[in-house]
Amino acid sequence: MADDVDTREWRIRTLNDAFRRNLTSGRVMITQGVADLGNERVAQVMQLVRTFDRFDPANDPHREHDFGAFELGRDRFFFKIDYYDLSLTCGSEDPSDPRETTRVLTVMLAS
């Protein structure tokens, strides 16, 4: 059973990392507060999301690489990946299966 959990966890983490780095195979949302910072700042924020690698037990307890927090200048940002079914009407039953999961990355100001 532990091997199944480890394999599922690894698949979810791998899919999340690929999505976050390439911003393909899912949806990307930014909050109005982030959008209001302007295109140049949004591009900087998204670059930090794409290259984020400071996952630890405090911000990644399930080892899925689905959450991160970082600073840029005076602002603190969060990103979160959620898992939905293909129609985006409810949660995915199996986030380790990309054939039935749409990943949604949301980037927001911590404030």
Side-chain angles (χ1 to χ4, degrees):
M1 181 62 126
D3 286 342
D4 290 342
V5 171
D6 289 344
T7 299
R8 184 173 185 276
E9 178 183 280
W10 177 84
R11 289 186 69 201
I12 291 170
R13 182 173 53 246
T14 300
L15 290 165
N16 286 347
D17 285 343
F19 170 44
R20 185 177 42 76
R21 288 179 183 138
N22 300 310
L23 303 178
T24 59
S25 69
R27 304 271 177 105
V28 177
M29 309 294 291
I30 60 172
T31 62
Q32 188 63 49
V34 173
D36 288 345
L37 297 173
N39 291 340
E40 185 176 324
R41 185 71 157 190
V42 170
Q44 293 170 339
V45 168
M46 295 310 298
Q47 181 61 25
L48 290 173
V49 169
R50 293 175 69 200
T51 59
F52 186 86
D53 65 356
R54 295 184 315 260
F55 296 102
D56 60 45
N59 68 18
D60 191 30
H62 302 289
R63 299 175 14 167
E64 294 181 356
H65 292 189
D66 63 344
F67 176 84
F70 58 89
E71 286 86 28
L72 180 60
R74 296 182 193 190
D75 295 316
R76 183 165 174 79
F77 297 88
F78 294 149
F79 69 82
K80 175 73 172 98
I81 298 174
D82 292 300
Y83 316 115
Y84 293 92
D85 67 356
L86 297 180
S87 67
L88 297 170
T89 57
C90 59
S92 173
E93 291 189 25
D94 184 4
S96 70
D97 186 349
R99 295 169 300 177
E100 66 178 64
T101 303
T102 299
R103 284 174 159 66
V104 177
L105 170 72
T106 304
V107 182
M108 65 201 87
L109 284 164
S111 61

